[in-house]
Amino acid sequence: MHIWLYIVLFVTCVSAGLVDDIVNAIKNAATCASCHALLVPLKGLAALGDTPFTASLTAVCTSFGLEPEDVCEGAIGQQGPIIAHDLRAISPLKQTSEKLCGSLLGLCQPPAVNKWTVSFPKAAPKSPKPFVRTGKAPFQVAHFSDIHIDRQYTVGTDASCNKPICCRNFTDHTGPIIEPAGPFGSPHCDTPATLVHSFLDQVSKDNIFSLFTGDVIEAAVWLTTQQEVIDDMRIFNSELQTMLGAPVYPTIGPENSPTNAFPRNTTQQGNSQWVFDTQADGWKAWIQDAGSDQVKHFSGSYSIIPPGTNLRIISINTVYWYKMNFWLYDSDILQADPNGILGFTIQQLQAAEDAGQRVWIVAHMQPGSGDTLWDQSNYFDQIVQRYKNTIAGQFYGHSHKDEFSIAYSDYGNRNKDTATSIAYIAPALTPRSGKPAFKLYDVDPDTYEVVDVRVFYTDYSDPSFQQNPQWELLYSARSTYGPAAGLQANETLSPSFWHRVTDAFAANDTLFQQYRTYTARVDPGSCDASCKANTICALRALRSENNCAVTQPGLNFKRRDVEGNFVEDEDDTCEGKGIGHIFTRLAGWMDEADPVSGFLHLLILT
Ligand SMILES: *[C@@H]1O[C@H](CO)[C@@H](O)[C@H](O)[C@H]1NC(C)=O
Ligand SMILES: *[C@@H]1O[C@H](CO)[C@@H](O)[C@H](O)[C@H]1NC(C)=O
Ligand SMILES: *[C@@H]1O[C@H](CO)[C@@H](O)[C@H](O)[C@H]1NC(C)=O
Ligand SMILES: *[C@@H]1O[C@H](CO)[C@@H](O)[C@H](O)[C@H]1NC(C)=O
């Protein structure tokens, strides 16, 4: 019935000429230039208001079967008004539009970096403080990420369905249950509370503190509300407090409503302060009053010196650099440092350098990812290079994969001698992205450099999993990659070591395939020579302009990645119904019918 309401609205509000323009523009939008052209009529549609804009996009999504109807409605209902707001505010011809065309439709490559020289309070010291190992025993730190807890996970519902996540008692489910959801989780579903508790019980054993790099909420993003996000964040914070004996240093992830939608402080409407306030409160026991105050006032970022250490953990909110945060496209004025996240990082790094501390940078999205806007990644890299002697490690999540990424002083000449910083990326806890896993670091107490990374996992295909999940060692980085990369007994896992690991991948395909299996924790599929070259390139690129990712066309409302985010997926070969598919179908329709009636016909068909 609602679809009729949409059509009535659509026909009443939109002139036939405008529909004609939009249909033709969609039909022809196969290049970056034509995407700019498409934005002209879409801007006209947005000018009519959020409701006709959202209703029209929803009708297109539903008509083409991009997602089940409830998913189209929920997802576009949430993100549509932000995109309409963007379109009303920007010129279809300028750079912001180009970036929007890249992230929303995948039709434009990122524009060249807008050059900006980051300024620092002090020049790098001529003779930086040496951090020397004295042979002390390492201590342990756990790192977990992308836990995606589904509080509505229901045992006995279908673990196989046509929605982005299953194992829920969806009201529109019909027919017999094909694959009943078990007590501890399933590969098509987000994490049930039982598995979270099993994990927290396991992870609390040896570490002196944990890093949690975000993403608490389940991927039913088309259904989430602000209240649900608040409740889910609070419940998990309280579980961490009661079940872990040691502090947790978390980061802000995409937790928001809508997901990822953090408006900048230059935007009048929309506000994420409730996310920061909830976490400032929930994290206070670990990050103290000062850290909690920073979370409130620096858009979720804070720093903390774990008791008994000379280490400053700087936790920053990188969602302001995330391509899929659609609030970032609401102005033609380019902002080098949205919400001052880069400025906060510099201030904290300078304080650490002045105090002779080492630093770990912690955030949800790693700045070398294909999801990171090139400008902010480039500026962040300048900071990393300036403070390379202070930064002992970087820790991220977001990709759901067990990965690493290397920064270089010279990206034109990436080798073991120019490698300057190493980022560790934690695998996801949610079974939706392979076997649930987390990292345990052995850390040298003098230098705060990582001496070994051990990855633990639980095997959901093991019959005992549904009674009592077992967490076992998957591999140790030191023993798996050390010999091939010439690791010395007294050497930490330095940026240079990790570069040598990538050299070993290039030289030894068996080792590379082993890495890919560990990365995915499911069958990673095949990877030909160009896939291998791109994978190695991405490992050697903590600066996103250097990661060899090529934006692929695809309507990103459809292209939801493992996280349930609407992101482009570098190596998704299953992209059967991307925008190319839509255009082909649309073009087929247009040959037979005149555009307006053809388009309306498509709407009515649903
Ligand atoms: C799903 O919800 C319906 C309606 O509330 C209920 O009858 C049914 O038992 C539920 N199914 C499961 C597996 O909990
Ligand atoms: C936004 O944040 C930046 C960085 O903290 C700050 O310099 C600026 O004044 C803020 N702008 C507004 C409009 O609040
Ligand atoms: C490790 O030991 C070797 C041989 O004793 C020495 O040359 C090298 O400088 C040491 N490296 C580090 C990082 O201490
Ligand atoms: C390649 O790596 C595999 C797996 O680590 C190892 O067993 C093999 O010896 C290596 N081959 C060469 C030629 O080094």
Side-chain angles (χ1 to χ4, degrees):
M1 196 177 81
H2 49 271
I3 196 76
W4 286 103
L5 181 63
Y6 289 160
I7 291 162
V8 170
L9 273 170
F10 194 80
V11 174
T12 346
C13 301
V14 185
S15 75
L18 190 52
V19 176
D20 196 351
D21 288 350
I22 291 170
V23 171
N24 281 318
I26 290 179
K27 193 177 149 188
N28 294 320
T31 63
C32 187
S34 60
C35 183
H36 281 290
L38 170 62
L39 296 192
V40 176
L42 281 180
K43 191 175 160 71
L45 186 57
L48 299 172
D50 289 353
T51 308
F53 182 84
T54 302
S56 308
L57 285 194
T58 304
V60 171
C61 174
T62 313
S63 310
F64 289 110
L66 298 180
E67 289 288 356
E69 204 168 304
D70 56 335
V71 180
C72 285
E73 269 169 38
I76 297 176
Q78 293 197 355
Q79 302 279 359
I82 301 174
I83 294 162
H85 160 82
D86 292 342
L87 289 167
R88 286 191 290 267
I90 61 176
S91 157
L93 302 173
K94 293 204 170 140
Q95 196 185 83
T96 302
S97 286
E98 197 164 333
K99 290 178 177 166
L100 184 61
C101 278
S103 57
L104 187 61
L105 296 160
L107 290 173
C108 298
Q109 299 304 322
V113 170
N114 295 291
K115 286 205 170 26
W116 185 53
T117 305
V118 178
S119 57
F120 300 105
K122 294 180 188 170
K126 292 227 159 47
S127 44
K129 175 180 172 176
F131 292 91
V132 184
R133 297 179 73 189
T134 59
K136 293 195 182 99
F139 65 89
Q140 278 72 44
V141 171
H143 179 189
F144 53 95
S145 204
D146 298 272
I147 189 156
H148 290 287
I149 309 162
D150 188 358
R151 301 284 171 189
Q152 292 178 48
Y153 184 103
T154 307
V155 176
T157 55
D158 216 328
S160 155
C161 71
N162 66 347
K163 317 250 193 216
I165 62 165
C166 306
C167 301
R168 277 186 164 202
N169 198 350
F170 289 113
T171 49
D172 60 352
H173 182 274
T174 51
I177 306 278
I178 298 163
E179 189 192 329
F184 283 94
S186 148
H188 303 298
C189 310
D190 268 330
T191 315
T194 47
L195 186 59
V196 175
H197 299 156
S198 161
F199 159 71
L200 290 177
D201 190 40
Q202 167 68 34
V203 82
S204 60
K205 293 204 167 86
D206 318 297
N207 58 87
I208 70 158
F209 62 82
S210 301
L211 305 175
F212 170 51
T213 44
D215 230 342
V216 178
I217 314 298
E218 90 290 336
V221 291
W222 72 100
L223 295 172
T224 50
T225 60
Q226 177 169 332
Q227 193 55 50
E228 191 206 324
V229 172
I230 290 176
D231 292 345
D232 284 2
M233 292 191 299
R234 283 191 180 146
I235 298 169
F236 188 52
N237 287 335
S238 131
E239 284 169 334
L240 288 172
Q241 291 211 16
T242 51
M243 297 192 66
L244 293 184
V248 185
Y249 302 117
T251 69
I252 294 283
E255 291 74 53
N256 205 322
S257 179
T259 308
N260 303 326
F262 286 81
R264 296 176 291 190
N265 67 1
T266 45
T267 299
Q268 298 305 315
Q269 67 193 89
N271 190 327
S272 300
Q273 193 57 40
W274 59 274
V275 176
F276 309 137
D277 289 347
T278 305
Q279 300 300 49
D281 212 36
W283 299 349
K284 202 180 248 179
W286 310 308
I287 67 175
Q288 315 299 329
D289 288 351
S292 171
D293 208 51
Q294 288 171 334
V295 168
K296 280 188 188 165
H297 295 107
F298 293 95
S299 304
S301 304
Y302 68 90
S303 82
I304 178 80
I305 297 160
T309 71
N310 190 35
L311 174 71
R312 183 178 294 239
I313 290 176
I314 306 177
S315 171
I316 57 174
N317 183 351
T318 50
V319 187
Y320 294 102
W321 312 340
Y322 184 27
K323 278 183 180 175
M324 294 298 144
N325 175 1
F326 290 115
W327 284 115
L328 299 177
Y329 307 106
D330 73 349
S331 169
D332 286 322
I333 299 166
L334 302 175
Q335 290 184 33
D337 184 14
N339 284 35
I341 305 298
L342 294 167
F344 178 82
T345 309
I346 294 169
Q347 181 208 331
Q348 293 300 319
L349 278 161
Q350 188 61 56
E353 185 181 89
D354 291 346
Q357 296 157 344
R358 271 246 147 139
V359 161
W360 284 3
I361 307 260
V362 185
H364 177 64
M365 180 184 67
Q366 64 112 336
S369 130
D371 298 338
T372 313
L373 292 164
W374 282 11
D375 285 353
Q376 280 68 40
S377 180
N378 179 291
Y379 312 152
F380 176 77
D381 185 67
Q382 293 182 43
I383 298 173
V384 170
Q385 300 313 325
R386 159 65 184 82
Y387 293 100
K388 61 178 188 282
N389 296 305
T390 297
I391 300 169
Q394 304 188 43
F395 302 87
Y396 302 97
H398 177 65
S399 72
H400 288 201
K401 294 177 186 158
D402 168 6
E403 300 174 293
F404 61 92
S405 184
I406 308 161
Y408 297 84
S409 56
D410 179 1
Y411 283 87
N413 185 18
R414 294 180 245 180
N415 61 46
K416 65 181 172 49
D417 300 319
T418 60
T420 47
S421 194
I422 178 68
Y424 293 99
I425 296 141
L429 239 299
T430 173
R432 184 161 44 85
S433 306
K435 292 168 184 166
F438 68 93
K439 287 184 167 174
L440 193 66
Y441 303 106
D442 291 329
V443 181
D444 174 63
D446 291 312
T447 62
Y448 300 98
E449 289 164 19
V450 171
V451 178
D452 196 6
V453 184
R454 283 176 288 155
V455 176
F456 291 81
Y457 79 115
T458 181
D459 184 356
Y460 50 51
S461 61
D462 188 299
S464 73
F465 176 79
Q466 295 298 353
Q467 283 84 52
N468 182 19
Q470 298 300 306
W471 296 86
E472 291 165 54
L473 179 69
L474 181 60
Y475 74 99
S476 134
R478 213 174 167 95
S479 22
T480 306
Y481 303 133
L487 183 66
Q488 302 298 305
N490 60 357
E491 201 184 351
T492 60
L493 305 188
S494 62
S496 165
F497 162 75
W498 285 105
H499 182 88
R500 277 142 44 206
V501 171
T502 64
D503 280 341
F505 289 166
N508 182 340
D509 203 53
T510 312
L511 191 66
F512 176 67
Q513 295 307 335
Q514 174 70 81
Y515 163 76
R516 291 186 68 242
T517 306
Y518 287 156
T519 291
R521 297 143 6 258
V522 283
D523 178 359
S526 62
C527 187
D528 62 13
S530 101
C531 157
K532 180 171 174 176
N534 283 335
T535 305
I536 291 175
C537 174
L539 294 175
R540 294 174 177 167
L542 196 47
R543 192 172 76 170
S544 62
E545 71 203 77
N546 299 99
N547 70 12
C548 300
V550 177
T551 303
Q552 303 288 340
L555 184 63
N556 279 306
F557 283 128
K558 160 72 177 82
R559 307 187 76 217
R560 192 181 284 99
D561 77 347
V562 289
E563 280 190 273
N565 290 322
F566 301 120
V567 305
E568 62 190 295
D569 204 339
E570 287 114 340
D571 49 16
D572 182 5
T573 50
C574 307
E575 186 40 53
K577 287 184 190 158
I579 203 160
H581 176 85
I582 300 169
F583 293 155
T584 318
R585 283 190 52 182
L586 200 53
W589 273 100
M590 296 315 149
D591 287 345
E592 291 156 32
D594 80 277
V596 179
S597 70
F599 192 61
L600 291 178
H601 183 52
L602 275 172
L603 296 184
I604 290 159
L605 268 183
T606 60

